Amino acid sequence: MKFTLIGGAGFIGSQLMSYLPEFGHEVKVIDNLTYGQNFGYPDTVKLINDDVKNIGRYETELNEADYVFYMASPRLNEINDLEEPLPHLAGLKTTLDICQNNNTQVIFFSSCSVYGYRKNMVNELSTTKVTSLYSKLKIDSENLLKKYDEDRFKIVRLSTLFGTSGVGRNDLLVNNFVKDVLFSQYLEVYDPEAWRPNINIHTLCGVLKELAEKNAFQSILNIGYNSLNTTKQELILKMVTRNKLDFTVKYYSPDDSRSYKVDFSKMEELIDLEPIQYVDGIDQLVSTFREVIIEQNQDNE
């Protein structure tokens, strides 16, 4: 199959572009390289260095694709600094307008953060709630897709990512916990009872490949695993008891703006793929960050 990854040189895309060709799939990436400047791109991938606002120039790449993965988006901790996040929304609209006239499936990468703060478990039928500019952009994008009468235009709501990638991020809960523990042996946690579902980046790549190969994407699909719903407090206990990490933690009472326990039953019925569990994913992060610490110490000698 042929994949066009819009915004495909970031944390997710840098893994997909290496992963999908291993299974015989063709990958093209359209990205302005805001995040992936230093990533070593595989020879098997056609990379187009351009901004999403110019996506109209690439009708051929959109028309020839079996799947367009629309991943172009500012990150959670950066969107507040943007004067206007609309270029990402405008790029999505142009993509959808072009793909109305072909047979391409467009998969928009949303987030489970659109559920906001909930006391009860949510599913794909639950209402969404704006809690930040980031969730507003995702919800506005989802609403745009729903205006098109196209079964081929679909939404995946991703769990919070964790794990190692060719491109770094500094807005991921598990990654940040591990980094703070290793670099400072100290952790500050707001609202420890807040719920989050998380998914390892390598598990996500496997899930997306399986969904594409089985043509199993649904109009809206939560991506994650019920077993990986956890509170911040439970995650910290795992880090201490299972991963044997030693650190001091200080808790703060103000509520997190997001807390959601998500039902992933639909996805689990479609995909028979065992996820990377927290203990193994955290061990991988510990190993990676310790290598960074060693390199920093060598540079300072």
Side-chain angles (χ1 to χ4, degrees), residues 263-274:
D263 184 0
F264 297 104
S265 299
K266 279 190 176 182
M267 193 214 79
E268 292 184 359
E269 290 172 0
L270 296 170
I271 301 298
D272 184 19
L273 179 68
E274 286 295 318

Side-chain angles (χ1 to χ4, degrees), residues 33-52:
L33 303 187
T34 297
Y35 307 117
Q37 303 95 327
N38 299 318
F39 181 71
Y41 299 99
D43 295 335
T44 55
V45 172
K46 178 182 178 182
L47 175 65
I48 299 170
N49 183 0
D50 204 350
D51 196 274
V52 68

Side-chain angles (χ1 to χ4, degrees), residues 66-123:
D66 297 298
Y67 284 96
V68 168
F69 285 177
Y70 195 94
M71 299 181 283
S73 176
R75 295 178 177 176
L76 175 63
N77 63 334
E78 297 168 340
I79 194 168
N80 290 326
D81 296 328
L82 297 178
E83 293 183 4
E84 185 58 77
L86 287 181
H88 304 86
L89 198 58
L92 176 60
K93 185 179 187 307
T94 301
T95 299
L96 299 176
D97 288 341
I98 293 172
C99 290
Q100 268 193 307
N101 301 314
N102 60 35
N103 295 315
T104 300
Q105 294 201 53
V106 180
I107 311 300
F108 173 72
F109 282 44
S110 188
S111 165
C112 287
S113 66
V114 299
Y115 294 120
Y117 196 100
R118 301 299 177 88
K119 296 294 185 181
N120 300 317
M121 179 175 278
V122 295
N123 60 31

Side-chain angles (χ1 to χ4, degrees), residues 92 96 108 141-148 154-155:
L92 176 60
L96 299 176
F108 173 72
S141 298
E142 289 190 10
N143 290 336
L144 177 60
L145 263 79
K146 294 172 184 177
K147 291 180 180 179
Y148 289 78
K154 299 172 181 178
I155 297 163

